[in-house]
């Protein structure tokens, strides 16, 4: 035999195959050669694999026992309308099933496998549970239908063949015995049922053929009704008239009466609920996907063919029944097809075989769905028992659980009692399938390209609406309860099930909508009224920054929040990007801290270039950072706030090495350990100030955060947030209203309005000198705050001595050092030339070169003196960096002295207008 390369089958994208877990592309591949070696090689075609199972599932109780009931109660016109509505709904659903089933090769598991692998565990799991209960109730429905047929033939006291006692408990006993027979078959294996499928199909088709022939050849006769009323002294009879026009005229319109099996009054909804059970079973072919030669070819053609055949059959039977049977016969004898048949045992064989076949099919289907749910571990240990199988692979535990639930449903006693529940379950499942296909279509995922194209989002929407409308028409209470149950399952699976690699349709839909709205977010339509902080926080090591990370999260005001990190290095010479493996750790940190932030990592040869890259590329369209936050540059030893912490979502520790079961398989460090006292920094002082200067040049606001390593919001949250809007490093400044001070006020107000900080108060400090009118200055500030709608307590601070100290020291230095004065003039010229390069950036003069350490320490003492009680955080004015790079160290030294021992402090420099008094 010549050796040939085996053909390859591609499964649904996102599925996991243990034999191909290492596939680098994420698409699992399975060869025909390996599949052929399995126990159940794919060998079924369209007829035996799809059409026959679907017909047997749909031809059961309704075709033999409820056609007369539907026509007798609803009349011919409404019966045909019911079938049109029902088949419209299931046709829309069939189109959705065909679309999903042809979006890649399928494995065993049926509809649950398709939906869960296509849409993710939430949708798949909730739909799977609902489908499981629908099959359980469906199996009980068919058993009760068979019991009804047996009692009708052998259990009527006035009947000629009365050999079996009748009654509620006898019906339960008969149903239990029949269900036990189904259990034996299912425990032995589904292959026994599969072998008998063709024989059962021949029997059912022969019975149907005899029914059609009987309508034409059986002569009119009197039929005795199976009325069980105790007051009847003589048998009640009615007429079979044969094909007579006057009979049809009397059966055209509805005549709803009391159902003689349940004693309840019928209406359109209750009759439709019973009738719709004959339209279920459309997924029987999909459930055979694991045994089909070509599922993508067989499922669409076979299912649509079966639906068409049953639709024609039901309508023809309705027409012939209305044309030949008296209304009383249709309403009072649900087994009339046997009474008027050319050979009654043939109809009885058809009823028994088709109903037992459908009951076993539903029982087997329910057990396989439960086993698939348990195997996927969607409910943790709740379904652990259902994962047990025999040596041959038969899930006996799932069969027993399904059998037990069917037995519970059997206590309802009557077919029409549970018909409404079964119908609502199936309608809900069908609506969910339509919703699944609609979600895939609207998500516009490139990998959703089914070969079956006879569907649109319109068909999905029509199917959903049809299912929902009929659910509430049948029973609003059951419909609400079923929907609430499914939503509860969806939430439970979402929060409790482990993360899967099947793919999440919610992520695809979110991506689609976010992209659409980002395109609509036009930066040209930005307005100061709707400004909000969009923050890029640079984090060297999260171990020492958890306090700052949570603080900035409170201050973002529903704006963009990005955690940025620069790793030193170059991509040249590396086999792959080293940062890709770090994103999971950072995202786990975001989950652990319960913040709403994005993560952006970059690789650069220096921290300065890395920050520039992040400022240039972070965000999309109108969602870009407008504020950069940096930790303060000082000599403090960082403290580890993540030591020993456990990430609940991942199960990894935050220590240097994540623990694993196998000590030989250690993961890389979750986050690197903090630098020691003797370790050098990756960033030097000049480069740090250059980052600040670059940010201002790019038109971004900048903030420096100091002492936030000691910040714990729940522990040290003070009663005040202090705001010093004056540029304290420029004592000759008398104005409070500039862009930077207003930006500082805005951020403080945003923080105060957040829920966690709503109990604090803003404390605004007004620095005044001798000769100023305290009342006038305070009144001006109060008017400004009122116009800006900012609530703050204004506190005046006299700082004459501090300002006098500055001018005194400056005068002495200017008298004794003319060379320094010349340098000052050169500095001013450089600043003027520097600022002329971009007129859009407001000019912020600074005289940092003339400041002395003594003056700055005095300002620091002034701030601490007026900080009682100690505030939770301070907001200070950050001067612009000097244009002369040689003075960067002096500039940083002054900031260090200014904020020494102040507690959590934010130095802020704003360059963009952020407040308005307009409506």
């Amino acid at each position: 035999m010549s050796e040939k390369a085996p053909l390859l089958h591609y499964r649904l994208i996102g599925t996991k195959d243990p034999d191909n877990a290492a596939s680098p592309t994420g698409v699992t591949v399975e060869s025909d050669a390996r599949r052929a070696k399995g126990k159940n090689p794919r060998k079924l075609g369209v007829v035996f694999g799809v059409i026959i199972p679907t017909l047997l599932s749909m031809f059961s109780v309704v075709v033999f026992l409820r056609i007369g009931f539907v026509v007798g109660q609803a009349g011919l016109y409404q019966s045909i309308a019911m079938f049109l509505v029902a088949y419209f709904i299931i046709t829309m659903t069939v189109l959705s099933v065909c679309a999903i089933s042809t979006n890649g090769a399928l494995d065993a598991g049926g509809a649950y496998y398709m939906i869960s692998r296509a849409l993710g565990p939430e949708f798949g799991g909730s739909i799977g549970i609902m489908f499981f209960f629908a099959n359980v109730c469906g199996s009980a429905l068919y058993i009760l239908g068979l019991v009804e047929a047996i009692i009708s033939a052998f259990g009527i006291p006035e009947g000629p063949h009365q050999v079996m006692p009748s009654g509620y408990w006898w019906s339960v006993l008969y149903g239990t015995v029949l269900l036990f027979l189904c259990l034996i078959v299912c425990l032995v294996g589904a292959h026994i049922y599969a072998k008998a499928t063709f024989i059962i199909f021949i029997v059912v088709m022969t019975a149907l053929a005899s029914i059609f022939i009987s309508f034409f050849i059986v002569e009119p006769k009197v039929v005795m009704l199976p009325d069980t009323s105790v007051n009847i002294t003589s048998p009640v009879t009615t007429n079979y008239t044969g094909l007579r026009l006057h009979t049809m005229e009397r059966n055209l319109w509805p005549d709803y009466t009391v159902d003689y099996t349940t004693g309840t009054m019928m209406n359109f909804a209750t009759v439709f609920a019973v009738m719709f059970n004959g339209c279920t079973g459309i997924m029987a072919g999909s459930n055979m996907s694991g045994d089909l030669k070509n599922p993508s070819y067989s499922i669409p053609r076979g299912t649509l063919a079966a639906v068409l055949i049953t639709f024609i059959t039901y309508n023809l039977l309705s027409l012939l029944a209305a044309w030949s049977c008296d209304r009383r016969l249709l309403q009072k004898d649900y087994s009339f097809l046997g009474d008027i048949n050319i050979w009654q045992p043939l109809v009885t064989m058809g009823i028994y075989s088709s109903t037992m076949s459908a009951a076993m099919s539903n029982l087997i289907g329910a057990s396989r769905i439960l086993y698939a749910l348990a195997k996927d571990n969607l409910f943790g240990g709740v379904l652990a028992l259902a994962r047990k199988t025999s040596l041959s692979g038969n899930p006996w535990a799932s069969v027993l659980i399904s059998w037990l639930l069917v037995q519970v449903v059997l206590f309802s006693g009557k077919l029409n009692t549970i018909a409404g529940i079964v119908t609502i379950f199936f309608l809900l499942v069908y609506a969910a399938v339509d919703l699944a296909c609609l979600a895939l279509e609207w998500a516009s995922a490139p990998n959703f390209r089914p070969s079956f194209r006879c569907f649109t989002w319109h068909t999905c929407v029509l199917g959903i609406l049809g299912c929902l409308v009929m659910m509430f028409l049948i029973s609003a209470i059951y419909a609400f309860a079923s929907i609430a149950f499914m939503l509860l399952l969806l939430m439970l699976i979402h929060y409790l099930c482990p993360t899967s690699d099947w793919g999440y349709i919610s992520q695809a839909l979110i991506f689609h909508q976010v992209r659409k709205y980002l395109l609509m977010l036009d930066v040209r339509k930005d307005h100061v009224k709707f400004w909000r902080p969009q923050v890029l926080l640079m984090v060297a090591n999260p171990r020492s920054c958890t306090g700052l990370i949570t603080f900035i999260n409170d201050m973002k005001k529903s704006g963009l929040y990005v955690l940025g990190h620069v790793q030193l290095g170059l991509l040249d010479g590396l086999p792959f990007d080293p940062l890709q493996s770090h994103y999971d750790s950072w995202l786990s940190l975001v989950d652990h801290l319960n913040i709403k932030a994005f993560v952006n990592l970059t690789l650069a040869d220096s921290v300065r270039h890395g920050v520039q890259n992040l400022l240039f590329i972070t965000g999309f369209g109108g969602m870009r950072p407008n504020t950069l936050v940096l930790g303060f540059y000082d000599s403090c030893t960082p403290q580890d706030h993540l030591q020993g912490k456990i990430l609940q979502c991942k199960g990894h520790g935050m220590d240097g090495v994540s623990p694993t079961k196998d000590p030989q398989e250690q993961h890389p460090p979750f986050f690197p350990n903090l630098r020691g006292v003797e370790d050098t920094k990756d960033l030097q002082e000049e480069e740090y100030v250059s980052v600040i200067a670059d940010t201002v040049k790019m038109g971004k606001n900048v903030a420096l955060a100091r002492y936030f390593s000691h910040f714990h919001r729940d522990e040290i949250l003070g009663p005040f947030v202090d705001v010093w809007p004056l540029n304290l490093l420029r004592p000759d400044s008398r104005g409070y209203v500039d862009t930077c001070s207003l930006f500082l006020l805005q951020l403080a107000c945003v923080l105060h309005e957040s829920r966690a900080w709503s109990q604090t108060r803003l404390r605004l400090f007004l620095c005044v000198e001798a000769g100023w009118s305290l009342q006038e200055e305070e009144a001006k500030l109060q008017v400004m705050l009122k116009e800006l709608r900012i609530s703050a307590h204004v506190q005046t601070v006299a700082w004459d001595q501090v300002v006098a100290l500055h001018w005194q020291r400056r005068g002495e230095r200017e008298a004794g050092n003319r060379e320094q004065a010349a340098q000052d003039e050169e500095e001013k010229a450089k600043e003027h030339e520097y600022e002329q390069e971009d007129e859009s950036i407001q000019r912020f003069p600074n005289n940092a070169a003339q400041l002395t350490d003594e003056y700055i320490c005095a300002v620091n003492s002034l701030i601490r003196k007026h900080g009682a009680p100690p505030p939770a955080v301070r907001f200070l004015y950050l001067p612009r960096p000097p244009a002369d790079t040689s003075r960067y160290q002096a500039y940083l030294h002054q900031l260090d002295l200014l904020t020494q021992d102040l507690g959590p402090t934010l130095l802020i420099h704003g360059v963009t207008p952020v407040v308005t008094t307009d409506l």
Side-chain angles (χ1 to χ4, degrees):
M1 179 171 53
S2 62
E3 296 182 359
K4 295 182 180 179
L7 298 176
L8 298 181
H9 283 278
Y10 293 86
R11 293 188 180 183
L12 281 174
I13 292 173
T15 61
K16 184 175 181 180
D17 183 6
D19 295 333
N20 295 289
S23 175
T25 62
V27 179
T28 57
V29 180
E30 184 178 14
S31 68
D32 278 343
R34 180 164 60 85
R35 186 186 300 276
K37 294 178 181 179
K39 298 179 180 179
N40 297 311
R42 297 174 182 260
K43 59 182 179 181
L44 298 178
V46 177
V47 175
F48 290 97
V50 181
I51 294 180
I52 290 179
T54 305
L55 288 177
L56 287 177
S57 296
M58 300 180 75
F59 282 152
S60 53
V61 176
V62 172
V63 71
F64 291 111
L65 296 178
R66 287 300 181 265
I67 282 293
F69 164 79
V70 174
V71 177
Q73 297 284 348
L76 180 62
Y77 288 157
Q78 286 195 10
S79 298
I80 294 176
M82 288 182 183
F83 282 115
L84 289 174
V85 171
Y87 273 84
F88 174 80
I89 293 173
I90 67 170
T91 300
M92 298 299 102
T93 304
V94 166
L95 296 180
S96 300
V97 170
C98 294
I100 298 176
S101 64
T102 57
N103 188 43
L106 300 179
D107 205 342
Y112 164 71
Y113 181 88
M114 291 188 295
I115 296 170
S116 62
R117 267 52 178 182
L119 304 184
E122 293 96 340
F123 278 99
S126 58
I127 294 173
I129 287 291
M130 298 303 296
F131 199 33
F132 166 73
F133 282 116
N135 277 273
V136 165
C137 294
S139 180
L141 179 83
Y142 296 130
I143 292 291
L144 290 175
L146 182 55
V147 170
E148 183 178 307
I150 293 174
I151 292 178
S152 177
F154 303 105
I156 302 174
E158 293 80 6
H161 310 292
Q162 198 269 332
V163 293
M164 299 175 62
S166 61
Y168 170 76
W169 289 109
W170 285 106
S171 298
V172 173
L173 177 62
Y174 301 150
T176 301
V177 172
L178 294 173
L179 180 61
F180 185 76
L181 295 177
C182 297
L183 172 65
I184 297 300
V185 173
C186 295
L187 286 178
V188 173
H191 61 279
I192 295 180
Y193 165 69
K195 291 178 180 179
T197 296
F198 183 69
I199 299 176
I200 294 175
F201 178 74
I202 294 297
V203 173
V204 171
M205 290 298 104
T206 303
L208 278 176
S210 71
I211 290 172
F212 280 108
I213 294 173
S214 299
F215 279 116
F216 293 95
I217 67 173
V218 174
E219 297 293 331
K221 64 178 181 177
V222 177
V223 180
M224 185 173 60
L225 297 179
D227 199 324
T228 58
S229 300
V230 296
N231 295 326
I232 299 299
T233 58
S234 61
V236 179
T237 61
T238 187
N239 296 319
Y240 167 73
T241 65
L243 300 178
R244 297 290 186 272
L245 186 59
H246 63 85
T247 305
M248 177 182 289
E249 291 175 350
R250 291 195 294 265
N251 291 329
L252 291 178
W253 304 103
D255 181 21
Y256 293 107
T257 60
V258 175
D259 174 25
Y260 75 89
T261 63
T262 61
T264 58
M265 185 66 185
M266 294 291 101
N267 53 44
F268 182 90
T270 54
V271 173
F272 179 84
V274 176
M275 182 276 302
F276 189 80
N277 287 282
C279 306
T280 60
I282 58 174
M283 294 186 182
S286 302
N287 293 336
M288 301 294 292
S289 58
D291 300 306
L292 300 176
K293 292 180 181 178
N294 189 350
S296 298
Y297 177 87
S298 301
I299 290 177
R301 290 164 176 79
T303 306
L304 289 173
V307 168
L308 181 61
I309 292 172
T310 56
F311 176 74
I312 295 174
T313 303
Y314 284 142
N315 281 278
L316 285 178
L317 285 175
S318 300
L319 176 63
L320 293 174
W323 198 351
S324 61
C325 298
D326 187 72
R327 178 70 69 114
R328 187 173 178 83
L329 174 62
L330 298 177
Q331 292 178 342
K332 299 300 183 181
D333 185 3
Y334 295 160
S335 59
F336 77 100
L337 291 178
D339 297 333
I340 65 173
N341 199 267
I342 54 177
W343 189 46
Q344 184 175 355
L346 197 57
V347 176
T348 304
M349 292 170 57
I351 294 173
Y352 294 173
S353 59
S354 65
T355 308
M356 278 294 288
S357 171
M360 285 189 291
S361 175
N362 277 265
L363 182 60
I364 292 173
S367 64
R368 296 317 189 259
I369 294 170
L370 182 63
Y371 173 68
L373 287 166
K375 189 170 62 173
D376 289 337
N377 197 28
L378 295 184
F379 296 92
V382 177
L383 298 179
L385 178 63
R387 290 196 290 266
K388 296 184 179 298
T389 61
S390 62
L391 295 178
S392 61
N394 188 32
W396 60 268
S398 297
V399 173
L400 289 176
I401 295 173
S402 303
W403 165 78
L404 183 62
L405 292 176
V406 175
Q407 181 64 60
V408 171
V409 178
L410 284 180
F411 284 98
S412 62
K414 295 295 181 181
L415 184 152
N416 289 5
T417 304
I418 64 171
I421 301 175
V422 176
T423 302
I424 286 179
F425 275 164
F426 274 108
L427 282 170
L428 186 58
V429 171
Y430 295 163
V433 172
D434 290 319
L435 179 63
C437 189
L438 178 66
L440 285 171
E441 179 71 8
W442 277 356
S444 300
N447 284 314
F448 181 65
R449 45 178 183 270
S451 57
F452 181 85
R453 298 304 305 171
C454 297
F455 80 100
T456 65
W457 67 268
H458 304 86
T459 61
C460 300
V461 171
L462 289 175
I464 294 171
L465 293 178
C467 291
L468 293 179
V469 169
M470 294 314 303
M471 282 173 57
F472 285 94
L473 283 179
I474 292 170
S475 174
I477 296 177
Y478 287 157
F480 275 118
S482 301
I483 293 174
F485 181 58
M486 190 183 74
L487 293 177
L488 177 63
L489 288 173
L490 193 147
M491 290 188 292
L492 285 175
I493 297 173
H494 177 74
Y495 288 108
L496 298 181
C497 80
T499 303
S500 72
D501 58 353
W502 303 342
Y504 293 82
I505 187 60
S506 58
Q507 294 298 305
L509 291 172
I510 291 171
F511 177 88
H512 182 73
Q513 293 300 110
V514 167
R515 182 196 64 85
K516 181 173 70 175
Y517 286 113
L518 276 176
L519 291 173
M520 297 171 62
L521 191 61
D522 193 344
V523 294
R524 296 169 295 183
K525 298 179 181 179
D526 282 346
H527 195 278
V528 66
K529 288 191 298 185
F530 308 110
W531 180 91
R532 66 182 71 238
Q534 304 195 81
V535 183
L536 172 62
L537 172 62
M538 297 305 304
V539 180
N541 193 326
R543 291 180 175 275
S544 60
C545 303
T546 55
L548 178 59
I549 293 173
T550 55
F551 173 78
I552 299 299
N553 184 67
D554 292 336
M555 199 177 65
K556 68 180 186 303
K557 188 62 175 180
S558 301
L560 179 67
Y561 183 22
V562 181
L563 300 180
H565 173 73
V566 178
Q567 179 170 323
L568 297 182
L570 293 175
L571 201 58
D572 298 341
L574 296 177
F576 54 85
D577 182 7
L579 297 178
Q580 295 302 316
S581 60
H582 296 178
Y583 273 97
D584 283 346
S585 301
W586 283 83
L587 294 176
S588 298
L589 175 73
V590 170
D591 296 335
H592 174 74
L593 297 178
N594 195 24
I595 62 175
K596 297 178 180 179
F598 298 95
V599 174
N600 207 348
L601 313 179
T602 188
L603 191 69
D605 57 349
S606 67
V607 175
R608 180 183 181 184
H609 290 162
V611 175
Q612 289 177 358
N613 293 340
L614 291 177
L615 286 174
F616 277 125
I617 67 174
T618 299
F620 296 95
M623 291 192 67
R624 291 184 179 275
N626 54 32
T627 303
L628 176 70
V629 179
L630 302 171
F632 196 79
Y633 192 97
D634 55 23
S635 58
C636 296
T637 303
Q639 299 179 2
D640 193 344
H641 299 290
L642 297 180
Q643 184 71 31
K645 297 291 181 67
I646 299 296
L647 286 186
Q648 299 297 331
C649 57
K650 292 292 184 183
H652 295 311
M654 288 189 176
D655 299 334
V657 178
S658 299
T660 59
K661 295 181 180 180
D662 188 356
Q664 302 297 326
E665 297 182 1
Q666 292 292 336
H667 294 282
F670 194 72
F671 287 116
N673 293 324
L674 295 172
R675 61 179 176 84
V677 179
E678 300 179 356
D679 296 334
T680 59
K681 296 183 178 180
D682 295 333
L683 185 66
Q684 301 304 314
E685 294 178 346
E686 293 82 359
E687 187 178 5
Y688 178 81
V689 181
S690 297
V691 171
I692 302 174
D694 293 342
T695 305
V696 176
K697 291 178 184 178
M698 298 171 67
K700 310 288 186 183
N701 312 296
V702 63
L704 309 181
R706 189 173 193 186
Y707 294 123
F708 278 89
S709 58
H710 307 289
F711 177 82
H712 299 284
R713 186 179 66 189
D714 299 331
E715 298 178 6
I716 65 169
L717 189 58
F720 293 105
V721 173
D722 286 358
V723 182
W724 296 76
L726 182 66
N727 186 356
L728 299 175
L729 297 187
R730 187 169 179 255
D732 57 338
S733 173
R734 293 176 59 89
Y736 280 86
V737 185
D738 66 3
T739 301
C740 186
S741 60
L742 291 177
F743 181 80
L744 189 146
L745 279 172
Q746 179 78 320
L747 285 190
C749 181
V750 167
L751 179 67
H752 171 67
E753 290 178 350
S754 66
R755 182 179 303 176
W757 294 77
S758 59
Q759 301 302 320
T760 61
R761 295 183 60 193
L762 294 183
R763 190 164 55 179
L764 185 62
F765 293 92
L766 175 63
C767 297
V768 295
E769 302 178 39
W772 291 22
S773 174
L774 297 180
Q775 292 78 10
E776 182 181 351
E777 294 296 328
E778 185 173 350
K780 290 181 180 179
L781 187 58
Q782 290 286 7
V783 170
M784 183 189 71
L785 292 176
K786 184 177 181 181
E787 291 179 348
L788 298 176
R789 291 87 63 200
I790 297 176
S791 176
H793 172 68
V794 179
Q795 184 172 334
T796 57
V797 176
W799 70 327
D800 301 74
Q801 295 180 352
V802 177
V803 174
L805 181 64
H806 164 69
W807 292 116
Q808 177 185 354
R809 295 294 182 241
R810 181 178 179 183
E812 292 176 358
R813 185 173 58 184
E814 288 180 350
N817 192 350
R818 300 297 181 184
E819 181 180 353
Q820 181 64 43
Q823 292 180 359
D824 292 345
E825 293 297 328
E826 182 181 356
E827 169 74 16
K828 292 179 180 180
K830 287 183 177 181
E831 286 186 0
H832 180 71
E833 179 182 357
Y834 172 72
E835 289 161 359
Q836 291 298 321
E837 295 178 359
D838 189 352
E839 297 180 356
S840 64
I841 299 178
Q842 184 174 346
R843 181 179 179 182
F844 295 94
N846 81 62
N847 55 355
Q850 294 85 24
L851 299 177
T852 63
D853 291 354
E854 185 178 5
Y855 164 75
I856 298 175
C857 290
V859 173
N860 175 266
S861 300
L862 181 72
I863 296 173
R864 287 190 282 114
K865 176 182 177 182
H866 291 84
V873 65
R874 287 183 172 90
F875 286 75
L876 302 183
Y877 192 116
L878 174 66
R880 181 174 182 168
D884 186 359
T885 58
S886 63
R887 296 186 179 179
Y888 279 0
Q889 288 187 346
Y891 170 79
L892 192 57
H893 173 69
Q894 291 168 358
L895 297 180
D896 178 64
L897 293 178
L898 176 66
T899 57
Q900 191 73 38
D901 299 325
L902 290 185
T905 303
L906 212 60
L907 288 160
I908 299 172
H909 185 85
V911 298
T912 55
V914 294
V915 295
T916 179
T917 58
D918 297 334
L919 182 62

